[in-house]
Amino acid sequence: MKRDVSATLEIAVHADTVLQWQIAVARQPGIDLVESMTCVLDGEFLTPREVIGPHHSRLHVLEARAGTLRLDYQATVFGTAVPEPASDYEIALYRRPSRYAESDKLLGYAAAEFGYGIIDPDMPARVAAWVGRRISYVSGSSAPIDGAVETLLSGTGVCRDFSHLVVALLRAVGVPARVAAVYAPGCVPMDFHAVAEAYVDGAWRSLDPTCLAPRSSLVRIATGRDASDIAFLDNHGGDITLNSMSVQAFVDGPLPYDDFVQPISIE
């Protein structure tokens, strides 16, 4: 499958700072990637430093002076990523509670709702379907600091909130789970998208309780414990304002069908 993705960010930098962003496609084995990134600050072309993170995520870092910064990224993705086995450390890490997926606060709730210690490969799909029924997608309904517990209590959220709740509930019943930031052809509203992944039968399987985009068309950007690991933009120092952002993602041809039940890995 050929996929074309792009992102444009305009950032007002009010004082000297260090910016970090994750908008580039993860360079996973098995995919062919043709890409470009430009970084222009008040007409001056700059070159950010690239840092390779876990799961082939790529963080770009720039020391920026005050001014207006424009980031443009475009990529064409061919092929299918080769699944990589999880290490023992990763399996342990993705069973632990984290900042936005507070599984330790949901142990009793999850056990009562789904059971615990049950060897059931369908458990992740059941949890994702439950979250999809329980939570309503409402743009702007959550705050950046909200985690899985706030989402469960409020009953509303956006894609990251759905994913955090799925991940927290799965960890609470003993299933390793993580989140992934992706480009998502077919997503409405179009934006950076977040999905959950569960380790099932020796492979990471994607779960999207929002059902906003077919999982087989997703393109991985970053992977981690929760939104703190996959944020598309981070600022360390001076104040900034995100003036505008545009994200696009398309497949070559019709979108594939997805029943959001069968196990699928992000390719």
Side-chain angles (χ1 to χ4, degrees):
M1 184 186 299
K2 175 183 176 233
R3 289 154 286 184
D4 293 293
V5 302
S6 64
T8 300
L9 281 64
E10 183 180 281
I11 305 162
V13 181
H14 304 298
D16 294 357
T17 191
V18 176
L19 296 176
Q20 300 176 348
W21 60 87
Q22 292 183 106
I23 62 175
V25 174
R27 284 191 175 276
Q28 297 173 271
I31 66 169
D32 291 321
L33 183 61
V34 180
E35 64 179 348
S36 66
M37 178 183 291
T38 58
C39 179
V40 182
L41 180 63
D42 289 343
E44 179 185 359
F45 284 83
L46 303 174
T47 302
R49 179 168 56 94
E50 182 174 280
V51 178
I52 306 301
H55 313 296
H56 310 285
S57 303
R58 293 188 289 158
L59 185 71
H60 287 88
V61 182
L62 179 72
E63 295 183 4
R65 56 177 171 77
T68 300
L69 178 68
R70 180 182 173 93
L71 304 175
D72 284 290
Y73 176 75
Q74 295 180 336
T76 299
V77 184
F78 301 92
T80 301
V82 177
E84 295 187 297
S87 68
D88 290 342
Y89 177 79
E90 289 170 357
I91 292 173
L93 176 67
Y94 293 128
R95 278 196 173 113
R96 300 172 189 165
S98 59
R99 169 68 180 82
Y100 296 106
E102 319 98 300
S103 53
D104 51 340
K105 296 181 179 179
L106 296 173
L107 292 172
Y109 185 91
E113 193 71 37
F114 306 106
Y116 185 87
I118 300 172
I119 301 175
D120 179 7
D122 295 328
M123 174 75 80
R126 290 198 293 112
V127 170
W130 183 91
V131 171
R133 294 191 303 268
R134 181 68 179 264
I135 307 301
S136 298
Y137 189 98
V138 180
S139 296
S141 60
S142 60
I145 61 172
D146 286 350
V149 172
E150 285 86 357
T151 300
L152 180 62
L153 293 174
S154 70
T156 61
V158 294
C159 61
R160 62 167 256 165
D161 305 306
F162 280 69
S163 296
H164 284 154
L165 184 53
V166 169
V167 166
L169 290 170
L170 286 175
R171 291 176 185 170
V173 297
V175 178
R178 65 189 191 185
V179 295
V182 296
Y183 287 103
C187 185
V188 178
M190 178 56 70
D191 202 342
F192 292 118
H193 193 41
V195 298
E197 292 183 294
Y199 197 67
V200 183
D201 290 337
W204 289 105
R205 305 299 187 183
S206 63
L207 303 162
D208 187 2
T210 70
C211 301
L212 287 177
R215 292 168 296 162
S216 61
S217 69
L218 302 179
V219 177
R220 186 184 303 275
I221 302 171
T223 312
R225 297 164 300 173
D226 55 34
S228 60
D229 291 338
I230 65 171
F232 72 88
L233 180 64
D234 203 358
N235 174 49
H236 301 275
D239 187 33
I240 65 170
T241 301
L242 181 61
N243 289 339
S244 63
M245 180 178 73
S246 173
V247 178
Q248 299 293 330
F250 304 96
V251 296
D252 189 15
L255 284 169
Y257 171 75
D258 192 349
D259 63 5
F260 294 98
V261 175
Q262 297 301 316
I264 291 177
S265 298
I266 298 176
E267 301 178 349

